[in-house]
Amino acid sequence: MQTLKYAAAALILAATPLAAEELIMSSWLPPKHPIVVNAMEPWAAEVAKVTDGRVTVRIMGKPLGSPPAHFDMARDGIADITYGLHSFTEDDRFNGARLGQFSFMGDDAVKNSEAFWTIYRDKLGAEEEHAGTHLLGLFMHGPGLLHNNKRKIEKPEDMAGLKIRVPGGYVGDLVSALGASPLFMSSPEVYEKLSRGVIDGVAFTYEAMTAFNLTDHIKYSMTVPGGIYNTTWFLVMNEAKWNALSEEDRKAIDGISGMAFADRVGKAWNDADTAARDVVGDKVDFYEAPAAVVDALRKAATELEAKWAASLPQGRDGAAALAEFRQMTGVAQQ
């Protein structure tokens, strides 16, 4: 009789699914931001699907820390999964990530993200620079613009004296080289600073104009083919938490991450840029940078690229990585 009871209990346990491993993702973008809605949330849902419910991801409605703290939060286990900009981290631990931040890199967020995932990992030590985490994704947005509410930039000298918000990294150095004053701040801070006149303009994408309600405070938006700049992003998971998952679940999650996530988030950004341009319409003067401004941008960019390439560890060829990147995105063929 006792044996039958044990057998029955064993059958019940076998038929009862084990509790899912719930992973906490800290998210600092607005909950309705297109990247959260169209990339992070679908990816989280797919994690549950490919692991047959054994692993789930809960995206927090409010961040567990400031945007610049998000990489350290994943590394230190404050959150299981985080995303963020490499340039928000003020030290130089992500020096290789500058690969994707330069001017004239590409107009398609899918191609940009695919190239960044491929080349940064294969040639510039992405895993090493993200030590303490498992690298789930690397990505970029579409072409970065310079928006301002003071004047149209018709010659290089028109940049002088403008106070421009930058997300750190390369574009801060670029804006400074062109005579403007770069001011670092994270994306959620921009609306207040722009509306109060603390800054005159901002380095941002098309989609950010609507995502952060900036249209009423911007008059001019300057573009160049391939982008004036870009930002590079990570999606990472605490390494110990990752290693605690089963090999089967790690393989399943990797299968929907990496290049697949680059495609997903790149498409979300492309769609968001298109939608933002439609919403903004003629409320803002969008214009291509005049030739003299493009020449000044190119001169400053070339010098900054060379300085970056020389700063890389021995054996990492920054110039070759940039050339390969632009070949993948089609800029080299323009």
Side-chain angles (χ1 to χ4, degrees):
M1 192 66 172
Q2 191 77 358
T3 303
L4 289 173
K5 285 175 63 178
Y6 288 144
L11 287 171
I12 292 170
L13 288 172
T16 303
L18 295 174
E21 176 70 39
E22 183 180 69
L23 304 175
I24 301 300
M25 176 192 284
S26 181
S27 177
W28 53 268
L29 285 170
K32 293 185 179 180
H33 190 283
I35 301 311
V36 176
V37 173
N38 298 319
M40 300 300 176
E41 289 178 354
W43 176 81
E46 197 164 356
V47 167
K49 181 179 178 181
V50 300
T51 62
D52 293 326
R54 291 183 298 274
V55 182
T56 63
V57 177
R58 179 155 64 98
I59 302 176
M60 304 299 288
K62 293 183 179 180
L64 300 178
S66 68
H70 270 58
F71 177 79
D72 289 344
M73 285 163 51
R75 184 197 61 193
D76 298 341
I78 296 170
D80 299 322
I81 301 173
T82 65
Y83 64 85
L85 280 73
H86 294 102
S87 60
F88 279 4
T89 305
E90 294 181 4
D91 56 38
D92 62 356
R93 77 181 81 173
F94 300 119
N95 193 29
R98 281 209 179 198
L99 165 74
Q101 296 172 24
F102 293 106
S103 307
F104 315 109
M105 298 302 286
D107 290 318
D108 183 332
V110 172
K111 290 181 179 179
N112 290 348
S113 297
E114 289 178 344
F116 187 56
W117 171 258
T118 301
I119 300 168
Y120 184 23
R121 286 176 64 248
D122 292 351
K123 305 293 177 62
L124 298 179
E127 276 87 359
E128 180 181 331
E129 291 192 344
H130 293 79
T133 70
H134 177 72
L135 200 51
L136 292 165
L138 294 165
F139 55 100
M140 294 165 53
H141 54 53
L145 295 77
L146 281 182
H147 313 276
N148 87 88
N149 54 25
K150 294 295 184 183
R151 54 184 172 266
K152 200 169 183 175
I153 308 301
E154 298 182 307
K155 54 187 185 300
E157 294 77 13
D158 290 336
M159 288 289 294
L162 291 178
K163 294 173 290 185
I164 304 293
R165 173 270 176 183
V166 299
Y170 161 75
V171 70
D173 296 335
L174 178 68
V175 164
S176 182
L178 294 173
S181 299
L183 297 174
F184 170 76
M185 63 191 68
S186 61
S187 310
E189 300 176 79
V190 173
Y191 176 83
E192 180 190 357
K193 298 296 194 295
L194 191 63
S195 62
R196 290 173 48 209
V198 176
I199 55 176
D200 303 314
V202 55
F204 248 157
T205 56
Y206 289 101
E207 61 78 27
M209 299 175 73
T210 53
F212 296 100
N213 301 312
L214 306 180
T215 304
D216 292 340
H217 303 287
I218 292 171
K219 295 180 180 178
Y220 310 102
S221 294
M222 185 172 72
T223 69
V224 303
I228 293 172
Y229 79 103
N230 211 297
T231 57
T232 61
W233 298 63
F234 58 81
L235 175 67
V236 294
M237 180 172 170
N238 175 267
E239 187 173 40
K241 200 77 171 183
W242 173 259
N243 290 335
L245 299 178
S246 70
E247 182 178 355
E248 178 184 7
D249 289 339
R250 293 197 303 267
K251 183 177 180 180
I253 294 169
D254 270 343
I256 61 167
S257 304
M259 187 66 83
F261 187 77
D263 291 343
R264 184 194 296 276
V265 73
K267 184 179 185 304
W269 235 306
N270 284 344
D271 291 346
D273 277 348
T274 299
R277 287 196 295 268
D278 290 343
V279 170
V280 175
D282 60 2
K283 297 175 185 175
V284 172
D285 183 0
F286 291 99
Y287 67 99
E288 283 200 16
V293 176
V294 173
D295 289 344
L297 278 167
R298 198 174 296 279
K299 180 177 184 296
T302 299
E303 292 173 357
L304 290 168
E305 287 178 12
K307 182 179 178 181
W308 167 75
S311 74
L312 294 173
Q314 187 174 3
R316 294 181 184 168
D317 190 335
L322 281 166
E324 184 178 352
F325 191 108
R326 290 183 170 122
Q327 186 174 26
M328 286 186 69
T329 61
V331 172
Q333 300 168 13
Q334 292 180 357

